[in-house]
Amino acid sequence: MRRTVFNEDHEAFRETLRAFIEAEVVPVYDEWFAAGQAPRDFYYKLAELGVFGIRVDEEYGGAGIDSYKFEAVLYEETARAGVSFGGSGVHVLLGLPYVKLLATDEQKKRYLPKFVSGEEMWAIAMTEPGTGSDLAGMKTTAKLSEDGTHYVLNGSKTFITGGVHADQMIVCARTDAPSAEDRRHGISLLVVDTKSEGYSIGRKLDKLGLKTSDTAELAFVDVKVPVENLLGEENKGFSYLGHNLASERWGIAYGAYAQAKAAVRFAQQYVQERVVFGKPVAHFQNTKFELAACKAEVDAAEAVADRATEALDAGELTPAEAASAKLFCTEVAHRVIDRCLQLHGGYGFMNEYPIARLYADNRVNRIYGGTSEIMKSIIAKDMGL
């Protein structure tokens, strides 16, 4: 079946991106893996490539293209090469939607040019120790000063992707207590300069996968945040989070599909080259059946991912549809990557092979952005159950 989701512009971007990855990422990726993060100056190269400004309006230095399809190409090409761009994914996928949706004209002029140039990297701090997916249970507070000029931020966050390199952090905090009727009330979004006094980065977390992504714990002790850094309206942060979770979950779904597709490619190459009992592993019927089954699952995931992409670009992707796409694509990727690793035998367990890294990286897809169990709850509620 011929795909219709991409046009000539997307394919031209794909060629440019593929060449960039081969020249700038593949030769040094082992160094990033060992260091546990991509170097900060790499993000300037991504900015020069135009990756950060695709969906930013031209007046702020971007391309003004209101589409997620270029990001979809990026997911496919990084997965195909068995690499990642470190923690920079949250900069565009998570940070930008909040600025575009909520920022005032003054804030956009202040933030977006540096966003596009890579001078300021963005991330978002939602999760707290002990709360997990229960965002309404957050305890970080931001109290307005007596003179009304700034908020005083106190609390902590964990599992913050991009947390080490971030220059601007969107922090979710309580500006009011939850009400008896609505425990989600009272959450606001504040843009916090990471150089602020009282803002500190704790441990750079040692994760099972996503080794080149800087993930950190954060702490805030009497951090002063100017009131001009409030995104949107006070106490309405939870609704903003819900609005943007659809695009976040699309990104996880699409990334998982791309990983599954890459896994089949890696396995197919390996079994054609690997010789056992005097013939390539690809000649055994079990190998053919396993890869054929994986290919069929990837084809189905591709259709789901493409449909979700079209809906997202049209502004029609509902929370339940995003949850369904994330649930399906991440579960497919889990099954496919596991089977493709099995076809590698013992070598599939070695980190020098991309399938091993892919196996570890993929595992978090069913956890972050809302666990698979949360996705099922959302879908069931949409069904009226």
Side-chain angles (χ1 to χ4, degrees), residues 52-342:
F52 295 156
I54 292 171
R55 289 192 288 111
V56 176
D57 291 342
E58 292 182 37
E59 63 182 299
Y60 306 115
I65 302 173
D66 191 19
S67 172
Y68 284 81
K69 292 182 180 180
F70 291 93
E71 287 170 58
V73 172
L74 189 150
Y75 284 124
E76 291 185 349
E77 290 305 307
T78 51
R80 179 185 182 277
V83 302
S84 80
F85 286 168
S88 66
V90 300
H91 181 65
V92 175
L93 183 64
L94 300 189
L96 183 58
Y98 289 98
V99 179
K100 292 186 67 172
L101 176 69
L102 304 172
T104 63
D105 289 341
E106 184 277 327
Q107 287 175 324
K108 289 179 180 178
K109 292 177 182 176
R110 182 154 43 105
Y111 294 137
L112 286 176
K114 293 180 180 180
F115 180 101
V116 172
S117 70
E119 184 177 347
E120 290 185 348
M121 296 299 295
W122 286 60
I124 184 166
M126 302 185 203
T127 306
E128 296 183 2
T131 61
S133 297
D134 182 19
L135 294 179
M138 69 178 64
K139 302 184 184 305
T140 296
T141 60
K143 297 182 179 180
L144 192 63
S145 62
E146 291 185 4
D147 60 6
T149 62
H150 61 272
Y151 294 93
V152 180
L153 181 67
N154 284 282
S156 61
K157 300 288 182 178
T158 192
F159 306 145
I160 308 306
T161 304
V164 175
H165 285 321
D167 301 288
Q168 298 289 350
M169 182 68 66
I170 301 173
V171 178
C172 309
R174 286 207 163 276
T175 46
D176 196 7
S179 66
E181 299 78 21
D182 185 5
R183 59 193 294 267
R184 298 172 297 181
H185 168 78
I187 294 172
S188 300
L189 306 183
L190 301 172
V191 179
V192 182
D193 187 326
T194 62
K195 296 185 294 294
S196 301
E197 184 177 353
Y199 181 108
S200 62
I201 300 170
R203 292 185 300 152
K204 182 167 73 70
L205 299 174
D206 183 16
K207 308 181 298 296
L208 170 68
L210 301 180
K211 290 292 189 178
T212 62
S213 172
D214 54 308
T215 304
E217 295 174 331
L218 306 178
F220 321 111
V221 179
D222 294 335
V223 179
K224 293 182 179 179
V225 185
V227 292
E228 294 82 14
N229 289 18
L230 174 70
L231 276 181
E233 295 184 43
E234 197 177 73
N235 300 326
K236 293 188 176 181
F238 196 92
S239 65
Y240 301 145
L241 295 174
H243 180 275
N244 283 332
L245 276 174
S247 61
E248 177 183 353
R249 286 167 179 162
W250 165 84
I252 297 170
Y254 205 98
Y257 142 69
Q259 289 176 326
K261 184 176 182 179
V264 173
R265 176 175 177 267
F266 295 143
Q268 186 172 348
Q269 289 176 337
Y270 179 81
V271 298
Q272 288 172 334
E273 297 169 358
R274 174 69 168 162
V275 175
V276 296
F277 303 114
K279 58 183 178 180
V281 175
H283 286 197
F284 292 94
Q285 186 181 63
N286 179 70
T287 303
K288 296 176 182 180
F289 281 7
E290 283 293 285
L291 282 176
C294 288
K295 174 64 163 56
E297 288 217 74
V298 169
D299 286 347
E302 181 177 88
V304 170
D306 285 355
R307 185 181 67 178
T309 303
E310 296 286 16
L312 182 62
D313 270 10
E316 298 172 354
L317 186 65
T318 68
E321 290 168 344
S324 179
K326 180 182 184 296
L327 177 65
F328 182 78
C329 291
T330 57
E331 293 292 341
V332 164
H334 161 64
R335 293 191 296 270
V336 167
I337 295 170
D338 183 76
R339 294 165 83 171
C340 288
L341 186 149
Q342 187 73 14

